[in-house]
Amino acid sequence: MKLSLLVSICVLGAVACGKPEPKTATAETTAADLAAPEGHDEAGRSKSNADKSDLGKPEATEGAKAQAAADAKSTDNKPTSGDPLAVDASLEAGAVPTIERTPAKELRAKTRGMLEAAMKAAQSAKDVDGAVKMIVARVGKPTWTEKGQRRVWVSAEKTQCHRLVLETDGSLELETQPASEWKMLSALTKQNACTGEIRRGIDSVK
C-alpha cells in the first residue's frame, strides 16, 4: 500500500515538472513580442515579406520625373494673359508680306479702262505665268509684288485708286479703293491699299 502511494506521488511530480510554464512579460520581452509569433511583425505579416514589399516601391520613376520637368517648363513659357503686346512673333511675321516695288521710272500710266481690258485678256490664260505676260503686255509691270507671287497693278487718282490684283492661284480682281484706305494685316500692322506702304506699331493702327 505504501509502495503504490509512493509511485503515484512520483508520477504526479513528473507530469508537473514536464509541463512548460506559460510565457510572461519580463524585462527582456515586450508586449509586441508576446502578441506576434517569432518571425512576424505586429500586424502578423512575415517580416521577410514586409521587407520585400518595401523594396518594391521606387521613390519616383524616371518617366514621372521627366513629365514633371516638362510641365514646369511649359508653365514658364506661357505668355502673360491679358497683355495686348504679348503677340506671337512668328504669327506676326507670317501675316506681313514682303513687298517688292517696281521702280517708278519703269511703270506705265494706266486707267481703269486699261486695267479692265488687261483683266479680260488674262482670263483666257492657261496658268498664272500666262496671265502675267498678257497683263504686262497691256499695262506694263505690276506696281508691286507681294511674297514674290501676288501682283498688284494700280491706277492712281487724287482721292482713290483702281487695283487689278492677280492672286497666286490665278484669280483676278479689279477694285476701287480710297487713297486713304488702310488694310489691317495683323494686330500691329496695316497696309495702304493704293501705295502698298506697310506701317508697324501701336501708333500706326490708330
Side-chain angles (χ1 to χ4, degrees):
M1 184 69 177
K2 292 183 179 179
L3 179 61
S4 60
L5 180 60
L6 180 61
V7 171
S8 299
I9 294 173
C10 293
V11 171
L12 293 174
V15 172
C17 294
K19 185 177 181 180
E21 296 181 0
K23 189 174 183 180
T24 58
T26 65
E28 290 78 18
T29 60
T30 63
D33 293 330
L34 294 176
E38 183 178 356
H40 292 71
D41 58 12
E42 293 82 356
R45 298 178 301 172
S46 171
K47 290 185 179 180
S48 60
N49 292 337
D51 294 341
K52 291 180 181 179
S53 63
D54 292 339
L55 292 175
K57 297 180 181 179
E59 293 182 0
T61 62
E62 293 297 329
K65 292 180 179 179
Q67 183 63 38
D71 293 342
K73 185 175 181 180
S74 62
T75 302
D76 294 339
N77 292 335
K78 289 182 179 180
T80 303
S81 59
D83 185 359
L85 299 179
V87 180
D88 190 327
S90 61
L91 295 177
E92 179 75 10
V96 180
T98 56
I99 302 295
E100 182 182 351
R101 298 178 184 277
T102 302
K105 62 181 181 180
E106 298 180 15
L107 295 175
R108 296 184 192 175
K110 297 175 282 293
T111 63
R112 181 181 174 86
M114 295 171 65
L115 293 177
E116 289 177 349
M119 183 177 68
K120 290 179 180 179
Q123 287 174 347
S124 62
K126 295 181 180 180
D127 53 28
V128 176
D129 291 338
V132 172
K133 291 179 180 179
M134 290 182 179
I135 297 174
V136 170
R138 290 178 174 268
V139 296
K141 296 179 180 180
T143 307
W144 72 80
T145 303
E146 298 179 3
K147 296 184 178 180
Q149 296 178 323
R150 187 174 186 264
R151 297 167 177 85
V152 182
W153 288 264
V154 177
S155 173
E157 298 179 359
K158 290 182 179 180
T159 60
Q160 64 182 11
C161 69
H162 308 286
R163 295 166 24 116
L164 175 59
V165 181
L166 175 61
E167 300 288 352
T168 57
D169 61 356
S171 60
L172 290 161
E173 183 179 5
L174 181 60
E175 58 186 9
T176 300
Q177 296 284 350
S180 59
E181 180 73 16
W182 290 83
K183 177 184 177 182
M184 298 302 301
L185 301 178
S186 70
L188 299 175
T189 309
K190 64 181 180 179
Q191 181 183 29
N192 186 276
C194 293
T195 65
E197 178 187 358
I198 292 178
R199 292 182 181 177
R200 295 178 173 85
I202 299 177
D203 293 341
S204 68
V205 300
K206 293 181 180 181

